[in-house]
């Protein structure tokens, strides 16, 4: 697979857009992928907008422009990660209806539309589970007698979110040595690492099987932890 390709880069807040946070990393990812796979990055479109809401497409003029350019060139659109398009399955399905192929750099060139739908569904499910755990933490706090007035509710929400985040950070740190050891044996792609983790009987945080997206999330989370320290 080779030829021209159109890059799409998105950050979710104006603050990130002004600072460049995330922009360089995404551009590096799609540029490196294009070079490795023999693509020419013919154009790139940068968006600073939220991905939330059923009307997100109407608030994404750069995505619309990227789709138009890709149709003109008869080429795919590439993003660094699937969540740069959306974490919403319905929105992903809408994009697929445009008949413009999408390539997600972290998933590889052979991730077909079915796989993209599957990964989007997993991401959406994970977001819903995080929300559910936050609600459960709020209920537990209320059962312990915490008064959930406006100031206290904000505090409890913050504590619940921090607890979920701390657990995810700890799991990432626990599994990282295993991933690094696998990488030293020449297994470098996230998909191959996921298969190796499954073969070794290493479960995900929820006891399931690994995907390339989850491996990438672990590596990204550990990198983020290092920057916070």
């Amino acid at each position: 697979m080779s030829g021209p390709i159109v890059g799409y880069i998105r950050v979710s807040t104006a603050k990130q857009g002004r600072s460049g946070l995330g922009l360089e990393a995404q551009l590096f990812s799609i540029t490196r992928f294009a070079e490795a796979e023999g693509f020419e990055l013919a154009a790139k479109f940068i968006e600073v907008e939220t991905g939330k809401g059923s009307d997100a497409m109407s608030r994404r003029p750069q995505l619309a422009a990227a789709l138009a350019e890709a149709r003109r060139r008869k080429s795919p659109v590439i993003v660094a990660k699937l969540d740069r398009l959306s974490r919403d399955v319905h929105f992903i399905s809408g994009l697929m209806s445009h008949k413009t192929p999408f390539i997600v750099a972290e998933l590889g060139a052979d991730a077909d539309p079915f796989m993209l739908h599957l990964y989007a569904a997993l991401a959406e499910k994970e977001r819903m589970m995080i929300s559910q755990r936050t609600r459960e933490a709020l209920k537990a706090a209320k059962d312990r007698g915490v008064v959930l007035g406006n100031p206290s509710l904000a505090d409890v929400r913050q504590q619940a979110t921090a607890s979920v985040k701390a657990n995810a950070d700890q799991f990432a740190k626990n599994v990282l040595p295993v991933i690094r050891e696998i990488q030293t044996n020449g297994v470098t792609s996230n998909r191959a690492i996921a298969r190796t983790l499954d073969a070794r009987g290493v479960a995900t945080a929820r006891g399931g099987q690994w995907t390339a997206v989850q491996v990438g999330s672990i590596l990204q989370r550990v990198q983020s932890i290092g920057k916070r320290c």
Side-chain angles (χ1 to χ4, degrees):
M1 188 179 294
S2 61
I5 198 168
V6 175
Y8 176 70
I9 299 168
R10 181 179 68 87
V11 292
S12 300
T13 66
K15 180 179 179 181
Q16 286 181 323
R18 288 193 301 268
S19 68
L21 182 62
L23 294 176
E24 292 84 355
Q26 291 178 59
L27 180 57
F28 175 77
S29 177
I30 64 177
T31 301
R32 183 176 60 179
F33 179 91
E35 292 174 351
E37 298 292 335
F39 287 104
E40 174 198 356
L41 188 58
K44 60 179 181 290
F45 296 83
I46 298 174
E47 193 111 66
V48 180
E49 184 53 83
T50 179
K52 297 180 180 179
S54 60
D55 64 338
M57 188 63 181
S58 66
R59 293 181 280 110
R60 299 248 208 120
Q62 292 303 304
L63 178 55
L67 287 168
E69 181 68 13
R71 285 193 295 269
R72 186 181 73 82
R73 293 179 178 273
K74 297 181 180 179
S75 65
V77 172
I78 183 172
V79 293
K81 298 180 63 178
L82 186 59
D83 65 6
R84 296 305 82 200
L85 290 175
S86 178
R87 294 183 178 90
D88 182 84
V89 176
H90 178 72
F91 187 76
I92 294 293
S93 297
L95 289 178
M96 296 299 108
S97 70
H98 286 267
K99 306 300 182 183
T100 300
F102 284 89
I103 294 177
V104 180
E106 74 169 357
L107 300 182
D110 58 346
D112 58 25
F114 173 78
M115 291 179 63
L116 296 184
H117 280 89
L118 179 60
Y119 286 128
L122 289 171
E124 185 175 275
K125 180 65 174 178
E126 182 177 16
R127 187 176 72 249
M128 292 171 61
M129 292 182 70
I130 290 173
S131 178
Q132 180 181 350
R133 288 198 298 270
T134 301
R135 289 195 300 270
E136 290 172 352
L138 288 171
K139 183 179 182 302
K142 185 176 181 180
D143 291 343
R144 292 196 305 269
V146 175
V147 179
L148 299 181
N150 287 337
S152 297
L153 178 59
D155 291 342
V156 172
R157 285 187 184 278
Q158 185 177 8
Q159 292 169 10
T161 302
S163 176
V164 171
K165 185 172 180 296
N167 289 337
D169 285 351
Q170 187 58 54
F171 178 79
K173 287 190 287 187
N174 290 344
V175 79
L176 179 66
V178 182
I179 293 176
R180 293 304 189 208
E181 188 270 330
I182 291 172
Q183 289 174 324
T184 60
N185 291 326
V187 181
T188 56
S189 76
N190 289 352
R191 187 178 305 167
I193 292 171
R195 288 196 296 263
T196 306
L197 288 169
D198 287 337
R200 292 188 178 188
V202 179
T204 65
R206 299 182 183 86
Q209 292 189 318
W210 288 89
T211 67
V213 172
Q214 289 169 315
V215 173
S217 295
I218 289 291
L219 296 174
Q220 185 178 30
R221 180 174 289 275
V222 172
Q223 183 180 22
S224 177
I225 293 171
K227 290 179 180 179
R228 295 198 303 265
C229 294

